Amino acid sequence: KFRMPTADNLVPIRLDIEIDGHRFKDAFTWNPSDPDSEVVVFAKRTVKDLKLPPAFITQIAQSIQSQLAEFRSFEGQDMQTGEKIVPIKLDLRVNHTLIKDQFLWDLNNFESDPEEFARTFCKDLGVEDPEVGPAIAVAIREQLYEIAIQSVTSARETRISKKGRRGAEHIPASKASGTALDLMKLFGNKSSIIRKRREWDVYEPIVDILSNEEVDVLEAREDRNAR
């Protein structure tokens, strides 16, 4: 049944709200089993701590509740099973730190922990900003969430195809179920966990510390894209 392919079944939440010239952006995880009353408590506390206009309380609460409702709409539905190793890509900026990396993730490992992975990543690469680790974990969870939704869609398509077909017919492969084929292209038929030398730079994590001027340029570009 549908759930995040991690040890903790947490929902990635992303907020981007602008009211009367004030803009609030944040990303975090939420336990879908928590009572909905906690959402309003969180919204009020956030607005108070950040000294935002009171109008943000309703907007923050509604955005979180709508994202939780979407997540819960998939609960109880079948997911497509089978061996799935998927590529995860990181390309994010947190304050002055720019992170780029890609790696493989086992969807069948329900003991995996994106937060622990992010902490180890930051420790190994000497990332000092404490906001980078949580941002990496959320980015991983967002991609896993999308893949989990695709697995539900694939299971539904397979079920419909089995009901409507007579004899063996081709079942269209979704983005999630096509991952094995993508990996065959990536690693070749004789797959190996040892990366070829020419691929080292592709999979090497990149951590850059940006200057104030570079941050200003990126923020201006992000604002234009948002508009």
Side-chain angles (χ1 to χ4, degrees):
K1 301 297 181 181
F2 175 83
R3 62 157 291 157
M4 290 288 287
T6 58
D8 296 315
N9 189 36
L10 303 177
V11 187
I13 301 290
R14 189 168 289 274
L15 302 177
D16 190 350
I17 301 169
E18 187 170 359
I19 301 176
D20 297 332
H22 295 82
R23 190 176 183 188
F24 172 60
K25 294 177 66 176
D26 200 4
F28 47 88
T29 54
W30 195 276
N31 188 338
S33 300
D34 283 350
D36 288 345
S37 58
E38 290 294 324
V39 174
V40 178
V41 173
F42 172 84
K44 289 180 177 178
R45 187 183 303 128
T46 300
V47 168
K48 180 181 178 182
D49 291 347
L50 299 179
K51 297 180 173 57
L52 294 170
F56 273 88
I57 295 175
T58 301
Q59 294 298 319
I60 291 174
Q62 287 180 348
S63 182
I64 295 174
Q65 287 166 344
S66 66
Q67 292 177 68
L68 288 175
E70 180 186 24
F71 182 88
R72 290 167 178 159
S73 69
F74 294 102
E75 290 181 338
Q77 298 190 44
D78 292 330
M79 295 177 69
Q80 191 176 60
T81 58
E83 184 177 353
K84 289 200 187 109
I85 306 294
V86 299
I88 298 292
K89 293 187 177 183
L90 299 178
D91 188 355
L92 67 157
R93 179 185 63 85
V94 183
N95 301 323
H96 284 69
T97 306
L98 187 68
I99 302 288
K100 291 188 178 184
D101 195 12
Q102 58 179 323
F103 43 86
L104 301 179
W105 199 276
D106 183 1
L107 293 185
N108 286 327
N109 180 10
F110 285 89
E111 297 301 318
S112 66
D113 187 343
E115 285 73 26
E116 180 61 29
F117 175 92
R119 283 192 293 270
T120 303
F121 180 97
C122 291
K123 181 180 178 182
D124 290 348
L125 296 178
V127 177
E128 297 180 355
D129 189 336
E131 294 184 26
V132 173
I136 290 174
V138 169
I140 294 172
R141 285 189 177 277
E142 285 179 326
Q143 293 176 66
L144 294 177
Y145 181 26
E146 288 299 319
I147 294 168
I149 292 174
Q150 291 160 13
S151 293
V152 170
T153 303
S154 297
R156 190 183 302 132
E157 289 174 353
T158 301
R159 196 163 56 247
I160 293 172
S161 180
K162 284 181 178 179
K163 286 182 180 178
R165 67 181 177 173
R166 292 181 181 274
E169 290 183 5
H170 173 69
I171 300 172
S174 71
K175 184 177 178 182
S177 61
T179 302
L181 295 175
D182 293 337
L183 290 174
M184 289 294 282
K185 294 177 184 176
L186 188 63
F187 295 107
N189 291 331
K190 296 181 179 179
S191 62
S192 169
I193 61 171
I194 301 175
R195 294 168 182 157
K196 300 178 181 65
R197 182 178 292 274
R198 65 176 179 271
E199 296 173 350
W200 286 2
D201 59 334
V202 176
Y203 280 90
E204 182 181 5
I206 297 173
V207 177
D208 281 337
I209 304 300
L210 306 176
S211 65
N212 290 333
E213 290 77 12
E214 290 172 319
V215 170
D216 291 341
V217 170
L218 285 175
E219 287 182 344
R221 186 185 305 162
E222 291 168 2
D223 286 340
R224 283 198 303 271
N225 291 337
R227 286 197 296 270

